[in-house]
């Protein structure tokens, strides 16, 4: 871990442009121990230098995130991964097939990695991703080191797919956000554990079918322990709007209705009128925010096919509909 100066936010969060000047400013802030939200192809991430204890601790503070919930580190390329984790043959096969892209691999942590132990939450493994977004790539190459970057939102709440979403939840709690437009994929990366046999730890923006085809074998999903997650996105309640959410074929009287497909033409909002799962994934978090009118209201969500990106969408919806903590991430009554 490096002993860089400690920072704290004063005033409002800066909104940076996704050009050379913005990247330069963001890299400087990160080197000083600051927090910068950056666009990726999945959702916006909240980045800090993964080697600085204080900077990583500030991620948990800004988000109200439990310390036992590990983080993903982002690096610019496959060569960078090898500085922090051991690449197994199956990991290298998936990496060459799908990186850069919406895939995170949980790999054995190298003893000499030099990452803050807060990143791994005490596990002897580390979650690694090589993002495809050009702004994320530019920042990683300019910064020259690993960035810990969970989603840039209060813990447990709806993930951000636009810079405005980041500011809605974290304005004044972080130094800056780089405005890179809308996230194209719209749900977080797929996470595959490769410590022993491959395991699907979180469905996400890369379809399970494509991963299994690349490996030539099934990738089962183990039963997760929400009290001891080995990867992000495994808590029982997550991705939640302020309103109550339930999964239903049709809404009850007075409920908002988040539909899917041509049969739901009367929905308040429709994730994809054509029934396209890629479109639905891209719209999911933005529409969850748009339809959310706050506590005391209910959002009914139509069924989504449990295949392809539908697995990731359903995973987010089930966790959003799960019973929630009594207080929000900042200690206020939920």
């Amino acid at each position: 871990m490096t002993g860089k100066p400690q920072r704290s936010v004063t005033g409002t969060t800066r909104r940076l442009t996704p050009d050379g000047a913005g990247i330069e400013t963001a890299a400087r802030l990160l080197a000083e121990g600051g927090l910068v939200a950056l666009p990726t192809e999945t959702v916006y991430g909240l980045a800090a230098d993964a080697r600085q204890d204080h900077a990583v601790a500030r991620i948990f503070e800004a988000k109200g995130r439990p310390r036992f919930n590990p983080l993903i580190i982002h690096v610019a390329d496959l060569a960078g991964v090898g500085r922090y984790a051991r690449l197994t043959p199956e990991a290298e096969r998936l990496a060459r097939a799908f990186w850069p892209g919406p895939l995170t691999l949980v790999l054995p942590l190298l003893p000499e990695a030099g990452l803050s132990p807060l990143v791994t939450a005490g596990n002897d493994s580390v979650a690694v991703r090589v993002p495809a977004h050009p702004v994320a790539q530019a920042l990683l190459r300019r910064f020259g080191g690993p960035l810990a970057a969970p989603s840039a939102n209060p813990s447990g709440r709806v993930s951000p797919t636009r810079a405005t979403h980041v500011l809605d939840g974290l304005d004044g709690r972080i130094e800056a956000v780089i405005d890179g437009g809308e996230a194209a994929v719209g749900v977080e990366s797929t996470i595959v554990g490769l410590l022993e046999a491959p395991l699907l730890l979180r469905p996400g923006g890369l379809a399970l079918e494509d991963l299994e085809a690349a490996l030539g074998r099934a990738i089962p999903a183990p039963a997760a322990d929400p009290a001891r997650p080995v990867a992000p996105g495994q808590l029982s309640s997550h991705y939640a709007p302020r309103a109550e959410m339930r999964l239903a074929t049709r809404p009850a009287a007075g409920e908002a209705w988040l539909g899917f497909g041509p049969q739901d033409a009367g929905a308040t909002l429709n994730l994809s009128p054509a029934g396209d799962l890629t479109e639905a994934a891209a719209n999911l978090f933005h529409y969850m925010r748009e339809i959310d009118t706050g506590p005391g209201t209910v959002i009914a969500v139509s069924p989504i096919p449990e295949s392809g990106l539908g697995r990731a969408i359903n995973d987010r919806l089930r966790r959003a509909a799960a019973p929630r903590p009594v207080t929000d991430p900042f200690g206020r009554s939920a």
Side-chain angles (χ1 to χ4, degrees):
M1 288 80 70
T2 56
K4 297 293 179 66
Q6 298 183 0
R7 286 187 64 96
S8 60
V9 177
T10 57
T12 57
T13 297
R14 297 175 64 179
R15 194 164 186 158
L16 303 177
T17 53
D19 55 13
I23 297 297
E24 190 69 28
T25 299
R28 175 179 56 78
L29 291 170
L30 290 165
E32 294 172 351
L35 302 184
V36 177
L38 77 163
T40 79
E41 70 277 18
T42 55
V43 299
Y44 274 69
L46 181 57
D49 187 340
R51 301 161 297 190
Q52 293 190 46
D53 287 328
H54 183 261
V56 176
R58 288 191 57 217
I59 290 178
F60 291 91
E61 179 185 12
K63 285 175 59 67
R65 182 184 178 99
R67 292 286 181 95
F68 60 79
N69 197 4
L71 305 175
I72 297 171
I73 67 166
H74 293 63
V75 295
D77 51 35
L78 183 56
V81 176
R83 300 188 186 102
Y84 311 104
R86 180 169 62 82
L87 277 162
T88 64
E90 288 185 311
E92 189 158 352
R93 187 184 308 175
L94 291 179
R96 294 192 181 281
F98 300 111
W99 275 348
L103 171 66
T104 294
L105 299 179
V106 177
L107 303 171
L109 177 69
L110 292 178
E112 67 275 19
L115 300 175
S116 168
L118 293 171
V119 169
T120 62
N123 296 318
D124 56 3
S125 59
V126 62
V128 190
R129 181 159 100 87
V130 178
H133 197 287
V135 174
Q137 276 287 321
L139 180 57
L140 284 163
R141 294 184 186 281
R142 175 63 186 86
F143 180 67
L147 294 177
S151 57
N153 59 291
S155 184
R157 296 303 183 185
V158 182
S159 297
T161 57
R162 293 158 169 76
T164 300
H165 297 167
V166 176
L167 295 171
D168 285 344
L170 298 179
D171 190 17
R173 303 179 71 85
I174 65 177
E175 275 72 21
V177 55
I178 306 174
D179 190 345
E182 300 178 13
V185 176
V187 293
E188 294 84 353
S189 60
T190 302
I191 302 181
V192 175
L194 289 167
L195 303 177
E196 296 177 0
L199 294 173
L200 180 67
L201 301 179
R202 180 180 74 185
L206 183 60
L208 176 62
E209 293 86 345
D210 294 335
L211 291 161
E212 290 179 331
L215 284 186
R217 61 185 293 183
I219 304 177
D225 179 2
R228 189 173 174 79
V230 296
Q234 294 188 314
L235 300 181
S236 298
S237 176
H238 212 50
Y239 315 109
R242 295 169 302 159
E244 179 185 344
M245 179 170 281
R246 71 182 190 93
L247 310 182
T249 54
R250 282 292 185 274
E255 293 181 339
W257 180 16
L258 187 58
F260 173 78
Q263 73 280 0
D264 291 348
T268 310
L269 288 173
N270 194 314
L271 291 171
S272 173
D276 181 88
L277 291 172
T278 300
E279 180 184 22
N283 287 333
L284 177 63
F285 289 140
H286 184 60
Y287 281 15
M288 282 174 65
R289 288 171 180 273
E290 280 201 6
I291 203 170
D292 183 9
T293 55
T297 59
V298 179
I299 303 168
V301 186
S302 294
I304 306 293
E306 189 72 22
S307 61
L309 289 179
R311 287 190 184 86
I313 297 169
N314 284 325
D315 172 77
R316 305 317 188 262
L317 292 174
R318 283 190 289 267
R319 295 179 194 274
R324 302 175 190 179
V326 176
T327 57
D328 73 6
F330 305 126
R332 301 167 300 203
S333 297

